[in-house]
Amino acid sequence: MAEFKVVIADPDTGETFQREVDGQDANRFLGREIGDEIGGDAVGLSEHTIEITGGSDETGRPMREDVSGTRLKELLLEGGVGFEPSREGERKRITVRGREIDDDVAQINASVVDGDDVAAALGEDGGDEE
């Protein structure tokens, strides 16, 4: 059974919220790709639409939009998702995961694209989550 941590960003306020989803709610994410929009029902945002912006697997490998499917792939990167060079011209071979969500993904990053007052919809009082 799939289980994910979903990090939801509210671009209007700059806040982020984390929710753990499993069961039927997690199944709504399976097979979706980076850039897909889905209803926010799975994370408690019934009046909102969210867009999948990325994620990572259980070992911390990032998902990349330019790698198809769910596979792992080694890429020689000059920067971008998965590698931040520390000097000019630096390149590094990095293992990344494809853009499709499957059971191996541990965290999904999403952004709210439609709807108002995300904090109130999630029942947040503005305090820090622990």
Side-chain angles (χ1 to χ4, degrees), residues 33-38 49-54 65 108-113:
E33 294 184 350
I34 294 175
D36 287 353
E37 291 184 4
I38 61 173
T49 302
I50 60 174
E51 177 184 7
I52 299 170
T53 58
E65 194 168 12
I108 299 170
N109 301 329
S111 179
V112 176
V113 291

Side-chain angles (χ1 to χ4, degrees), residues 4-30:
F4 306 114
K5 287 185 181 178
V6 182
V7 179
I8 307 129
D10 183 3
D12 294 337
T13 64
E15 293 180 291
T16 59
F17 306 94
Q18 183 173 316
R19 292 286 177 261
E20 292 195 23
V21 296
D22 57 1
Q24 288 292 72
D25 291 334
N27 289 341
R28 294 181 189 179
F29 289 99
L30 292 175

Side-chain angles (χ1 to χ4, degrees), residues 9-112:
D10 183 3
D12 294 337
T13 64
E15 293 180 291
T16 59
F17 306 94
Q18 183 173 316
R19 292 286 177 261
E20 292 195 23
V21 296
D22 57 1
Q24 288 292 72
D25 291 334
N27 289 341
R28 294 181 189 179
F29 289 99
L30 292 175
R32 301 293 182 128
E33 294 184 350
I34 294 175
D36 287 353
E37 291 184 4
I38 61 173
D41 297 339
V43 292
L45 294 170
S46 59
E47 301 292 321
H48 298 75
T49 302
I50 60 174
E51 177 184 7
I52 299 170
T53 58
S56 60
D57 65 9
E58 66 280 350
T59 59
R61 292 184 206 107
M63 295 173 68
R64 279 189 62 110
E65 194 168 12
D66 57 349
V67 177
S68 63
T70 61
R71 65 193 174 128
L72 294 175
K73 186 171 181 178
E74 283 191 357
L75 299 176
L76 186 61
L77 300 177
E78 295 176 351
V81 175
F83 176 61
E84 187 66 37
S86 59
R87 62 184 188 273
E88 184 71 26
E90 182 180 12
R91 298 187 306 172
K92 190 172 183 182
R93 188 164 306 279
I94 301 291
T95 303
V96 296
R97 182 161 292 283
R99 65 178 168 251
E100 187 177 325
I101 296 173
D102 68 347
D103 289 332
D104 293 330
V105 173
Q107 175 181 314
I108 299 170
N109 301 329
S111 179
V112 176

